Amino acid sequence: AGSGDGEPLDQPDDRSWTERHAPRLAALFERAKDGFNRGFARTSENYERAAAAIIDRRLIFVVLYLLICGLLAFLFLRMPTGFLPTEDQGNAIVSFQLPPGATINRAEQVQKQVETYFRDYESDNVTTLFTVAGGGGGAAGQNVGRGYLNFKDWSERKGHDNSADAITGRAAKAFSGLRDAEVFALVPPPIRGLGQSNGFTIQLQNTGDMTREQFSQAKDKLLEAARSDASLAAVRVSELPDKATLKIDLDPQKLATLGLTQANVNRTLSTAWGGSYVNDFIDRGRVKRVYVQGDAPYRSKPEDLFDWYVRGSDGSMTPFSAFASTSWAQAPVALSRFNGIPSFEFNGQPAVDKSSGEAIARIEALARDIPGTRIAYAGLTFQERLSAGQAPILYGLSLLVVFLCLAALYESWSVPVAVLLIVPLGLVGAVLAVTLRGLINDVYLQLGLLTTMGLASKNAILMIEFAEQAEKQGKSPIDAALEAARIRLRPILMTSLAFVFGVMPLALSTGAGANSRIAIGTAVVGGMLTATILAIFYIPLFFVLVRQATGWRRKKKPTRSAGREQAA
């Protein structure tokens, strides 16, 4: 069969599905676009009427604006402060310390307990565990130890219960029952090189010319007060406590009578009890060193000292019992200074639901009760204090730059005021969103607030620019503001919503570095929502108020007929 012109009726169509249905799709999209435009036009008309009603009732909405500013100040001042959020970097640190004088055998027992806990109770989260007894982390001694953990990938640790904070929190609770050791499970700081763990680091300095014993007592007093405070957790001192030391007292007169010198005695002690290098020898092609040292049974007890002899300059041998006596004393493992002043380094973390800023303020208050001392900051704590002091200057400078740029743009000192009045409407959303999510006032919130200030000003500029143009054409401030509001509503909503959806993945992020992205994303999303929803109604009002406050007078353009009469 065929058609009248000879074409077959069942000729196959080689066009794609899109090519065959393109006209129909275009018609559907056109109808959808027309429907959206009609709906948005009605929305614009309703918005214009609402903006006009707000201008008519300006006193009520000015009072409401002042209440919003008060809410912003209230939320901002009561927000806990910090420097950086704690990040789950996929690893953690375990530090343990035994009483002074504890042997390496006791430290190894605690080491095995730490390994057993993570192997039995955290095997689903931990992939690697490496522990060291007798040192680690800058501390050296038989009574200390260190452990390093690597966690599984973030994709295998779903939920907050499997985060680094949760894992270390459970470990710290489990190890709190140990009587012979203090065990701290810690999360590394988000910035390497600024401390060994997250939290605060302060230096307790001896500014009262106290003796070593008095300063040590002051340190113990502050440590006891900090550990009993509910706002602080895992408070510890970096320096090892003083330990018992065998003190050897030499009689100088007897040394001189016996023909001995201090150097002879020191050489014998260092060789017999500490070991001395002699020479090298070759063993099967490898060079090895030779050390001499007293055998362990002859240097394990204090009374063993008197079994040793000192060789004098004439070759004679004299026993230690002829010129020396022994006694026990407490001696520091190390003497530390900070900025040239004797100090003790305190490390700690805020308790659950507390911020690092609150923890620092609390340890400062406790240190003020210790006479003869003062507090100095180090590591992340120093950076946090430094950034907190610069934040007000940063906000003020940003507003000043925006004001000067707008003044140059509009060639007016009054119009920029209408733009800057919108800024608090965006900031209140950022602070409110951060508060509702339980976040803190840190560096990322400051970045979010600065971004919100710029974006809120951008929305105001989009509308006030058109209001300025309409006003130059002879319209009153109210008519100019309403016309600009109707024309610029769509661009403001379009750019604002596009930015909000673009930042939304930051606010909802997970995995490595998620807390930093959540902090800045939450601030920007919350700020943009209020900067859009509230600002579109307040921008026309502020434009009218500023114009009225600066004494604007409507100037009518002369009509053509009036111009002819005037010429006549």
Side-chain angles (χ1 to χ4, degrees):
S3 59
D5 55 0
E7 292 290 337
L9 295 178
D10 55 350
Q11 182 179 0
D13 192 349
D14 296 333
R15 295 177 301 170
S16 64
W17 186 93
T18 303
E19 292 175 339
R20 294 195 305 271
H21 297 83
R24 184 179 302 174
L25 291 174
L28 290 175
F29 289 148
E30 186 67 23
R31 285 197 297 270
K33 185 188 73 171
D34 293 339
F36 174 81
N37 288 337
R38 288 193 298 270
F40 192 84
R42 290 192 297 269
T43 302
S44 299
E45 294 173 359
N46 295 332
Y47 161 67
E48 185 178 2
R49 286 193 293 268
I54 290 175
I55 295 176
D56 293 339
R57 299 171 177 82
R58 62 195 69 178
L59 180 60
I60 297 176
F61 285 91
V62 168
V63 173
L64 180 60
Y65 173 78
L66 296 177
L67 293 177
I68 293 175
C69 293
L71 176 63
L72 170 62
F74 172 75
L75 293 176
F76 190 80
L77 292 177
R78 70 181 298 271
M79 184 180 299
T81 59
F83 181 56
L84 293 172
T86 303
E87 290 291 358
D88 185 348
Q89 304 179 60
N91 54 69
I93 303 171
V94 178
S95 175
F96 56 90
Q97 179 177 323
L98 284 76
T103 62
I104 188 66
N105 294 330
R106 294 175 59 186
E108 289 175 348
Q109 293 177 1
V110 177
Q111 176 187 12
K112 292 179 180 179
Q113 289 178 301
V114 171
E115 294 175 349
T116 300
Y117 169 80
F118 285 105
R119 183 175 60 250
D120 295 344
Y121 297 99
E122 297 292 350
S123 58
D124 294 337
N125 294 318
V126 178
T127 59
T128 306
L129 173 60
F130 173 75
T131 59
V132 178
Q142 298 186 53
N143 61 326
V144 296
R146 196 84 162 179
Y148 303 91
L149 295 85
N150 284 333
F151 301 140
K152 291 184 178 180
D153 190 79
W154 292 270
S155 60
E156 302 180 38
R157 294 186 286 118
K158 301 292 186 180
H160 178 73
D161 292 339
N162 296 318
S163 64
D165 286 335
I167 296 171
T168 55
R170 289 193 296 267
K173 186 177 180 180
F175 294 138
S176 62
L178 296 179
R179 295 186 302 173
D180 293 340
E182 293 180 337
V183 182
F184 303 100
L186 310 170
V187 177
I191 299 179
R192 296 184 181 273
L194 293 179
Q196 297 180 356
S197 64
N198 199 43
F200 63 86
T201 301
I202 65 166
Q203 297 284 344
L204 180 68
Q205 295 181 307
N206 181 4
T207 57
D209 197 21
M210 294 183 288
T211 63
R212 174 72 186 185
E213 292 74 17
Q214 292 173 335
F215 189 36
S216 182
Q217 292 175 3
K219 177 260 297 182
D220 294 337
K221 182 178 179 181
L222 178 59
L223 184 62
E224 181 181 0
R227 287 182 172 177
S228 60
D229 194 282
S231 302
L232 306 175
V235 181
R236 59 204 181 277
V237 180
S238 298
E239 291 81 6
L240 295 178
D242 296 349
K243 66 178 182 179
T245 304
L246 182 64
K247 182 180 180 182
I248 302 176
D249 296 315
L250 304 179
D251 190 330
Q253 295 180 355
K254 292 182 179 180
L255 283 177
T257 302
L258 296 171
L260 301 176
T261 63
Q262 183 75 44
N264 300 139
V265 178
N266 292 342
R267 185 163 48 250
T268 302
L269 286 175
S270 62
T271 301
W273 298 74
S276 295
Y277 167 76
V278 177
N279 58 14
D280 298 335
F281 77 99
I282 299 176
D283 180 22
R284 288 169 289 185
R286 299 184 62 183
V287 178
K288 297 183 179 180
R289 291 189 170 187
V290 178
Y291 288 87
V292 294
Q293 187 181 35
D295 198 8
Y298 302 99
R299 56 180 174 87
S300 59
K301 299 184 295 295
E303 53 269 23
D304 291 339
L305 176 69
F306 301 111
D307 294 333
W308 288 86
Y309 289 76
V310 178
R311 185 184 299 275
S313 56
D314 58 354
S316 61
M317 305 294 289
T318 305
F320 269 88
S321 58
F323 57 83
S325 62
T326 60
S327 62
W328 288 98
Q330 292 291 115
V333 178
L335 296 176
S336 60
R337 290 176 176 268
F338 187 78
N339 292 335
I341 302 175
S343 66
F344 286 108
E345 184 180 82
F346 279 74
N347 293 281
Q349 293 179 322
V352 181
D353 298 331
K354 297 292 183 179
S355 67
S356 60
E358 294 172 317
I360 295 172
R362 188 56 190 157
I363 194 70
E364 287 177 345
L366 295 176
R368 282 194 292 267
D369 297 333
I370 310 297
T373 63
R374 74 178 180 189
I375 290 294
Y377 306 107
L380 283 174
T381 305
F382 176 77
Q383 298 297 329
E384 180 175 342
R385 284 302 191 192
L386 188 63
S387 66
Q390 294 175 344
I393 300 176
L394 183 63
Y395 296 145
L397 183 61
S398 301
L399 290 175
L400 178 61
V401 171
V402 172
F403 178 82
L404 294 178
C405 291
L406 293 177
L409 175 65
Y410 294 115
E411 297 182 353
S412 171
W413 295 105
S414 58
V415 174
V417 176
V419 176
L420 295 182
L421 288 174
I422 300 299
V423 171
L425 299 179
L427 300 184
V428 69
V431 175
L432 183 61
V434 169
T435 302
L436 293 178
R437 294 199 69 175
L439 304 179
I440 62 175
N441 179 9
D442 56 12
V443 172
Y444 293 102
L445 174 63
Q446 296 174 15
L447 293 175
L449 294 181
L450 292 176
T451 305
T452 303
M453 290 166 57
L455 295 173
S457 301
K458 180 266 302 179
N459 286 345
I461 292 171
L462 288 176
M463 193 174 293
I464 290 178
E465 180 73 23
F466 272 69
E468 280 273 308
Q469 297 297 327
E471 195 179 44
K472 291 179 180 179
Q473 297 175 2
K475 295 185 178 181
S476 67
I478 296 178
D479 294 338
L482 294 178
E483 179 180 343
R486 183 185 69 255
I487 295 175
R488 303 305 290 170
L489 177 62
R490 175 177 288 192
I492 290 177
L493 293 180
M494 178 182 65
T495 56
S496 299
L497 292 178
F499 193 87
V500 168
F501 287 120
V503 179
M504 192 66 71
L506 292 178
L508 303 177
S509 61
T510 58
N515 291 340
S516 301
R517 298 195 297 271
I518 289 174
I520 191 172
T522 301
V524 174
V525 169
M528 279 305 301
L529 289 177
T530 55
T532 304
I533 297 173
L534 297 178
I536 59 176
F537 295 100
Y538 271 96
I539 294 173
L541 173 61
F542 288 149
F543 180 80
V544 173
L545 291 178
V546 168
R547 280 306 194 213
Q548 292 178 347
T550 54
W552 181 91
R553 294 181 180 179
R554 182 175 180 180
K555 297 180 180 180
K556 293 184 178 180
K557 284 187 176 182
T559 61
R560 184 173 301 178
S561 59
R564 285 197 299 267
E565 292 175 359
Q566 184 177 3

